[in-house]
Amino acid sequence: MKRSKTLSIAAVVSAAALTLAACGGGGDKADGSDGAAAADGKTLRLAINQTEDYPSTVALTSFGENLSEATDGRWSVDVYPNEQLGAQAEALQLVADGAVDLAVVAGPQLENLNKDFVVFNLPTVFKSVEHETSVINDPEITSELYSSLEDQGISVVGGFTAGMRGVYTKEGPINTPEDLAGMKIRVQETDTNIQMIEAMGGKATPMSFGEVYTALQSGVIDGAENAEPSFVTQKHYEVAKYFSYTDHLINTDYLVINSDLLKSMSEDDQKIFREQWDGFLDEFNGLWEESISTAIDEAKAAGVTFTEPDKEAFAEKLAPLVEKNITNDTQQKLLDATRAAAPAA
Ligand code: GCU
């Protein structure tokens, strides 16, 4: 399974490289001058690590269809789910290089490129998914941050929720931080996520999303943390039967695009692209709510126990992480703006 995935990545990427070479393009603008002709259109490759039926995959597929319709077929999107184009860290690199056009990556991946993204990756910063959604879609708060990776070849189109996360384990249930003592819990591959699980009492084991099922099954890890839709669509519930609502983190996913590609689009096409992105957000937000209840039903039917732990005990352990990780003025400003946008308690 792993081997054929790797082969297919190589095949798709070399096909992409050939296409770029044939077009004589691919961000090869020697002098970076403005006069570069706008691209008329392309079938964009989009990498995502989720299954076909996960809400963002579904809504991005509609996004591509709508984009194609609105541009008379000039711009369209081929969605590659299930890490077919690589896990998020690889997909992000491929977008930076221009070998893949678009990818969905979670906030922790962007933190590895610019530490200012840390603000949106820290536990307790977002009070609810509604709070998160309003902040990550507010250009006054985010526009500088989202364009900050352009010199690395990446533009952030926008963000959407990856949900409020709980901890799930093979042995359980988890009620207090003490229950996590000695347990190896998978986290995303970034520093703040490692600090997070350590603060909660567990042993953090970073790995990519697609590796989690096998790691749970073989006992390399004792548990993982995520929101219900990923817990179920990735089938983690087949091996980890205890889901604890620790509510320790609200995570954000981002759609990123190769910066040269975005700049090569005419202004009109960029406007259409943005409009279709707004359409994506509407569809996604509707699907998201629905997917949580569907996931809970499916997991319960398979014998999963959902528990309400001592959330305060976890929150207390996590609170110091914010101050510890805010180390510059830009981060502080982002944090202040995010807090100011929180609904009154
Ligand atoms: C969520 C999120 C993904 C992320 C994953 C993970 O499913 O939507 O973008 O990769 O969590 O824990 O790795």
Side-chain angles (χ1 to χ4, degrees):
M1 163 85 180
K2 273 275 164 214
R3 181 179 304 178
S4 65
K5 190 190 271 181
T6 311
L7 276 178
S8 77
I9 295 170
V12 172
V13 171
S14 62
L18 281 177
T19 315
L20 284 172
C23 296
D28 226 9
K29 285 179 240 134
D31 61 4
S33 63
D34 298 343
D40 281 344
K42 183 180 178 192
T43 299
L44 306 172
R45 290 184 173 79
L46 187 156
I48 182 164
N49 62 0
Q50 306 284 1
T51 54
E52 285 90 339
D53 56 347
Y54 188 83
S56 52
T57 318
V58 173
L60 283 164
T61 304
S62 307
F63 163 81
E65 288 162 5
N66 296 335
L67 180 68
S68 173
E69 205 178 304
T71 58
D72 299 322
R74 288 182 295 110
W75 293 96
S76 57
V77 179
D78 276 349
V79 177
Y80 291 83
N82 297 314
E83 291 189 357
Q84 278 173 48
L85 298 185
Q88 285 187 348
E90 298 161 81
L92 186 60
Q93 187 55 52
L94 291 171
V95 172
D97 296 344
V100 167
D101 306 298
L102 295 157
V104 173
V105 294
Q109 299 292 339
L110 298 184
E111 163 187 333
N112 294 332
L113 300 184
N114 173 4
K115 284 279 172 244
D116 296 342
F117 278 93
V118 154
V119 180
F120 294 163
N121 295 339
L122 289 168
T124 75
V125 166
F126 295 127
K127 300 302 167 205
S128 61
V129 167
E130 292 70 29
H131 176 212
E132 174 201 26
T133 303
S134 71
V135 170
I136 60 180
N137 291 303
D138 181 344
E140 283 196 17
I141 303 178
T142 59
S143 62
E144 267 178 46
L145 182 68
Y146 289 0
S147 53
S148 67
L149 304 175
E150 279 172 9
D151 58 349
Q152 299 182 62
I154 302 280
S155 299
V156 176
V157 177
F160 53 97
T161 194
M164 171 89 90
R165 293 164 87 103
V167 170
Y168 45 90
T169 46
K170 293 175 78 167
E171 309 285 331
I174 300 299
N175 288 310
T176 64
E178 289 69 42
D179 293 340
L180 279 175
M183 282 204 185
K184 283 182 258 136
I185 305 294
R186 177 268 172 173
V187 292
Q188 297 178 73
E189 311 102 304
T190 200
D191 196 36
T192 49
N193 276 233
I194 294 172
Q195 290 178 34
M196 176 183 79
I197 281 296
E198 304 279 335
M200 289 168 73
K203 284 185 164 186
T205 307
M207 68 179 68
S208 73
F209 193 45
E211 289 175 308
V212 179
Y213 184 94
T214 312
L216 278 170
Q217 199 179 34
S218 63
V220 167
I221 51 176
D222 303 301
E225 51 83 52
N226 218 313
E228 303 92 327
S230 293
F231 173 59
V232 170
T233 52
Q234 293 296 310
K235 309 255 180 258
H236 296 167
Y237 70 96
E238 290 178 358
V239 259
K241 297 281 186 201
Y242 298 91
F243 189 108
S244 172
Y245 283 113
T246 45
D247 293 355
H248 57 278
L249 180 70
I250 296 177
N251 213 187
T252 305
D253 275 338
Y254 297 92
L255 180 68
V256 297
I257 184 168
N258 175 267
S259 300
D260 285 340
L261 172 72
L262 184 63
K263 284 185 206 141
S264 79
M265 284 184 177
S266 69
E267 271 184 32
D268 283 351
D269 283 350
Q270 286 195 31
K271 193 165 162 264
I272 296 174
F273 188 88
R274 287 260 148 223
E275 284 162 4
Q276 301 312 321
W277 172 250
D278 290 343
F280 160 81
L281 289 175
D282 284 347
E283 181 175 353
F284 171 80
N285 289 331
L287 290 173
W288 178 255
E289 277 303 312
E290 218 175 281
S291 75
I292 294 180
S293 43
T294 314
I296 295 172
D297 289 349
E298 198 173 327
K300 280 188 177 161
V304 171
T305 309
F306 286 88
T307 48
E308 289 288 343
D310 181 353
K311 292 186 209 224
E312 280 305 308
F314 286 103
E316 235 168 72
K317 301 260 182 204
L318 290 167
L321 290 195
V322 177
E323 210 175 315
K324 182 173 170 203
N325 286 284
I326 300 292
T327 54
N328 68 38
D329 288 352
T330 310
Q331 293 171 334
Q332 188 62 52
K333 272 192 206 148
L334 277 170
L335 181 65
D336 293 344
T338 301
R339 287 187 167 154

